[in-house]
Amino acid sequence: MNATPNRRKIVLGVIAATAMPRLPGFKTAAQAQDEAGLANRFQDLSQNGNATCSPKFTASIATMPPMTRIKGSCCSPMEMKRYTEQVKGLVKYRVIAMIPQDPYDIPAVTAQQMIHYYDRQLTADEQRRYDFALANSNEKGPCCCQCWRWSVYGGLAKYLIREHGFTGEQIVDVWNLSDGCGGGE
């Protein structure tokens, strides 16, 4: 008798393994690797940030080399639980390149593009959507203070409203997931 499984047995085994319910607390190797990667990124970003809430920092964004990254929290220490929720939540917007996938690690070139939109005028309908986001986001705006994040994520909101037809509710979601002030919600 041949001890090597045939192709049909292998395919059926794979199907059965993927159809089996996961035990509570059981993580796949990929999930464990993702969590380890997030933990490493969190450690780096929470200890090696370069972002500040100063007007001087905001002004410096325009002259940052494109490969520069704006890292870390502005106001409060980062929290791992919240960071994980944010990064996982932003995955749904990954098809829009202007939305940073990590609110604590933003390419300067993206910040430069987003800040450019901040001074753009919106139509009355677009402004209503933006105003809805201002009134309903956790920070009552794109950030807790009117720092560089306010201008960058305010510009992002205007871009998303104008170029992608985002609703006020969608802007609230992006802003809440992108909150870079540190701390919890």
Side-chain angles (χ1 to χ4, degrees):
M1 180 165 149
N2 188 352
T4 45
N6 65 27
R7 190 168 161 177
R8 183 174 182 201
K9 286 181 183 176
I10 291 172
V11 170
L12 290 174
V14 168
I15 291 171
T18 58
M20 290 176 54
R22 299 277 181 228
L23 299 172
F26 176 79
K27 294 179 185 165
T28 66
Q31 289 170 322
Q33 186 176 15
D34 286 348
E35 288 180 15
L38 266 178
N40 288 338
R41 283 189 11 224
F42 172 83
Q43 189 73 17
D44 177 51
L45 295 169
S46 65
Q47 294 181 5
N48 299 304
N50 62 358
T52 70
C53 290
S54 73
K56 184 178 178 182
F57 185 83
T58 302
S60 75
I61 291 172
T63 59
M64 287 179 179
M67 299 307 292
T68 303
R69 301 191 77 79
I70 302 172
K71 297 170 129 189
S73 169
C74 293
C75 305
S76 302
M78 292 171 60
E79 291 181 2
M80 180 64 184
K81 181 180 184 281
R82 177 68 179 139
Y83 175 69
T84 302
E85 292 168 354
Q86 290 174 278
V87 171
K88 288 181 178 181
L90 285 166
V91 167
K92 65 184 157 196
Y93 297 111
R94 71 177 167 253
V95 297
I96 301 174
M98 287 279 277
I99 300 176
Q101 293 299 292
D102 187 324
Y104 295 100
D105 187 9
I106 302 168
V109 69
T110 302
Q112 291 162 351
Q113 291 171 324
M114 291 189 295
I115 210 167
H116 173 72
Y117 276 88
Y118 184 69
D119 292 326
R120 294 230 175 140
Q121 295 298 311
L122 299 173
T123 67
D125 176 60
E126 292 168 340
Q127 188 64 50
R128 274 191 292 279
R129 291 184 256 168
Y130 190 88
D131 291 343
F132 177 90
L134 286 172
N136 292 284
S137 65
N138 291 343
E139 300 288 357
K140 302 301 178 211
C143 190
C144 65
C145 62
Q146 291 195 8
C147 67
W148 70 271
R149 281 187 181 276
W150 188 280
S151 299
V152 168
Y153 279 92
L156 174 63
K158 289 181 177 186
Y159 165 81
L160 293 172
I161 289 167
R162 175 154 295 165
E163 304 298 327
H164 293 276
F166 268 43
T167 65
E169 291 86 354
Q170 289 172 304
I171 298 302
V172 167
D173 190 46
V174 169
W175 280 353
N176 288 347
L177 288 170
S178 300
D179 187 341
C181 299
E185 285 187 83

